Amino acid sequence: MQVFGSSGVRGVAGDELTPRYVLRVAQAAGDVWRDDHDRVAIARDTRTTGRTFINAATSGLTTVEFDVDRLGVVPTPGLQAYCEREGVPGVMITASHNPAAYNGVKLIGADGVELTRDTLDHVEQSLRDDTPAYADWETVGSDTAIDSARRRYREQVLSAVDRDRIADADLTIVVDPGHGAGSLTSPDLFRELGCEVHTVNTQPDGHFPGRDPEPVAENLGDLRAFVRATDADLGFAHDGDADRGMFVDETGTHIEGDAALAALAAAKIESGDGVVSAVNASQRLVDVVEDAGATLSLTPIGSTYIVSRIRRLQDEGTHVAIAGEGNGGILFPDYRIARDGAFTAAKFLELVAERPASEVAADYDDYYNVRRNLEYETEDEREAMLEGIEAHANDATADLDTTDGYRLDYGDGWVLARPSGTEPVVRVYAEARTLDRAEELAETMVSRATQRTDTYSGE
């Protein structure tokens, strides 16, 4: 059984994820890193359990002879920037987009990139081994508070985007960090880019009182209203650790994440480039890649798999121009192999500087997307859902892709069902050229999955 899912270790704090377990994960990571490093950076998002878990991870690392740089509350891409700059690995305490009750652990390499699946397997093997030998009083590590990480992260983003183009456009934007780590970086960053910045849900608060951390359309009503009220040119929202960015246009209309990814890809890719996305990639992205003469490589859903595929393609000599998913987690490998919500927002502003956000998105509004989350309480319920989904896949007259779950392509639309790697839900995604068709594809899949569950529960 894999400990690290599609984006780190996550669980309900105090139940599935305890301080003792976080300590052991940190020690196991230290065991893998010790041949090359004796120092680790550590950061967290704003969750109420973040300080407890960061203390546990620090204890785990210092007891196996590592010195620890404590960065405090920093976006995950801010920790990654620090790791790359200092040449040290990192531990991020975050549950990203998950609800407030969750927390988790992401592991970062000394190059600022999330660990690949192969390296995570080594960490998991160490975690399964016996308790490591503890340092004695003379060799135990120390920890040091670092105050400059957020500032230097902002400086790096500023240096990597077209500041003049954005500043000359005299843009007004609304920033919604959702009370997460981006509250302490993004508003100042975009003021430094020359934007007039309004904010909503900007107070760091691990209870996430204004909205849930996931920046999906149903959670962004306040952002849409504020964009309309301020006549802003763009609104954007982060998740809890600010490695994702989702957008609202100047009319207060939500921009589908797949449309934003397609627009950014169209501005970036050239003939012969590689593009990496997950198996739920929109036809919008497929169209852009084909039009550019580039090549699309699909992976299981999750940043770990996308990062590993980018690395592999780069090793084979392919220039990977852009990668990511329609959830706002986008990577620009020429900048860093990392999802970075603020950098993504700045790159989107470069497009908005030339024409309104609604026009940018309109080029990619030929498709409709629907997503459903099917919750389960027991493994038996989960397996019953998956059996129903498999039966539907076997009965369907469609092209089947089992890269991650079951994706059925009907020609006029597709539907994908897979168990989440971060929450106790089975996710169903559908896309078609009409909303009715997308909803039909999703609801048919949901019906088959829940039919098996109802049979299991005796209803």
Side-chain angles (χ1 to χ4, degrees):
M1 179 179 176
Q2 288 185 342
V3 173
F4 293 90
S6 57
S7 188
V9 177
R10 293 186 199 166
V12 176
D15 181 7
E16 300 160 317
L17 195 76
T18 65
R20 176 179 296 180
Y21 190 69
V22 171
L23 183 147
R24 282 291 296 119
V25 169
Q27 289 176 325
D31 187 52
V32 170
W33 288 329
R34 70 171 62 255
D35 288 344
D36 300 307
H37 305 281
D38 58 8
R39 179 170 148 235
V40 176
I42 191 165
R44 65 183 179 93
D45 67 17
T46 58
R47 292 168 192 271
T48 59
T49 54
R51 190 180 300 277
T52 296
F53 288 129
I54 209 170
N55 288 339
T58 299
S59 296
L61 289 161
T62 56
T63 57
V64 292
E65 302 184 6
F66 278 85
D67 293 331
V68 177
D69 295 350
R70 296 176 62 124
L71 277 56
V73 176
V74 176
T76 293
L79 171 64
Q80 292 176 285
Y82 184 89
C83 290
E84 181 186 45
R85 185 170 59 250
E86 297 293 322
V88 298
V91 176
M92 183 72 193
I93 304 299
T94 180
S96 190
H97 67 275
N98 286 63
Y102 284 74
N103 216 326
V105 182
K106 288 183 183 179
L107 301 180
I108 311 299
D111 55 359
V113 180
E114 287 186 50
L115 299 189
T116 62
R117 184 69 253 171
D118 288 344
T119 306
L120 290 174
D121 288 342
H122 291 305
V123 176
E124 290 182 6
Q125 183 59 52
S126 178
L127 188 60
R128 287 189 289 268
D129 291 344
D130 294 336
T131 302
Y134 288 91
D136 60 27
W137 68 273
E138 291 183 300
T139 59
V140 67
S142 63
D143 63 290
T144 302
I146 305 296
D147 298 325
S148 61
R150 291 193 296 266
R151 173 181 56 80
R152 298 193 69 179
Y153 162 63
R154 293 198 312 270
E155 291 172 350
Q156 187 174 72
V157 174
L158 290 168
S159 68
V161 300
D162 192 335
R163 297 181 67 174
D164 291 338
R165 181 194 297 184
I166 295 170
D168 290 346
D170 193 25
L171 299 171
T172 297
I173 66 171
V174 181
V175 180
D176 179 1
H179 304 289
S183 301
L184 300 175
T185 51
S186 284
D188 287 343
L189 169 63
F190 286 91
R191 291 187 180 102
E192 292 176 85
L193 276 172
C195 298
E196 179 180 344
V197 178
H198 301 283
T199 61
V200 60
N201 300 320
T202 319
Q203 304 82 5
D205 190 331
H207 295 91
F208 304 105
R211 67 166 172 85
D212 286 343
E214 188 168 18
V216 292
E218 54 265 35
N219 293 336
L220 302 182
D222 288 346
L223 177 60
R224 291 194 295 272
F226 209 175
V227 167
R228 289 191 291 267
T230 58
D231 292 323
D233 298 288
L234 186 74
F236 72 87
H238 291 313
D239 57 342
D241 65 336
D243 67 351
R244 288 164 56 174
M246 295 292 283
F247 304 105
V248 170
D249 73 19
E250 77 282 1
T251 72
T253 301
H254 177 76
I255 296 176
E256 288 287 347
D258 290 303
L261 173 57
L264 290 164
K268 178 68 176 175
I269 60 178
E270 297 179 357
S271 179
D273 281 345
V275 176
V276 178
S277 190
V279 69
N280 62 338
S282 169
Q283 188 65 33
R284 300 172 178 88
L285 182 63
V286 175
D287 294 344
V288 166
V289 170
E290 290 179 350
D291 289 345
T295 302
L296 179 62
S297 181
L298 298 181
T299 74
I301 292 173
S303 59
T304 298
Y305 302 106
I306 289 175
V307 166
S308 297
R309 183 64 57 83
I310 293 170
R311 293 284 211 188
R312 194 184 84 188
L313 290 173
Q314 288 179 331
D315 288 344
E316 294 171 354
T318 299
H319 174 243
V320 180
I322 194 170
E325 302 173 81
N327 62 8
I330 300 176
L331 304 87
F332 296 82
D334 292 336
Y335 169 64
R336 182 182 297 109
I337 305 177
R339 302 192 301 185
D340 189 329
F343 184 79
T344 297
K347 297 301 288 184
F348 200 79
L349 277 178
E350 291 179 3
L351 305 182
V352 176
E354 302 297 327
R355 57 188 181 135
S358 59
E359 292 185 14
V360 173
D363 291 340
Y364 310 98
D365 64 359
D366 293 338
Y367 299 93
Y368 292 84
N369 295 86
V370 173
R371 190 176 86 165
R372 302 283 187 265
N373 289 332
L374 308 181
E375 297 182 358
Y376 58 84
E377 295 184 0
T378 68
E379 283 301 306
D380 285 340
E381 290 180 52
R382 176 182 183 274
E383 290 307 310
M385 284 185 186
L386 296 180
E387 287 174 6
I389 289 164
E390 182 179 12
H392 178 53
N394 291 334
D395 293 342
T397 305
D399 293 333
L400 175 62
D401 187 320
T402 57
T403 300
D404 185 0
Y406 297 87
R407 174 172 168 146
L408 302 171
D409 192 332
Y410 291 87
D412 66 336
W414 58 264
V415 61
L416 167 70
R418 60 176 289 276
S420 169
T422 59
E423 296 178 76
V425 298
V426 172
R427 302 198 194 279
V428 176
Y429 310 80
E431 180 179 82
R433 286 192 177 273
T434 68
L435 180 59
D436 286 346
R437 178 57 171 157
E439 290 180 338
E440 177 190 9
L441 291 171
E443 292 307 323
T444 301
M445 181 70 83
V446 168
S447 177
R448 292 296 297 270
T450 54
Q451 184 178 51
R452 284 294 182 111
T453 304
D454 290 345
T455 300
Y456 160 77
S457 62
E459 296 179 6

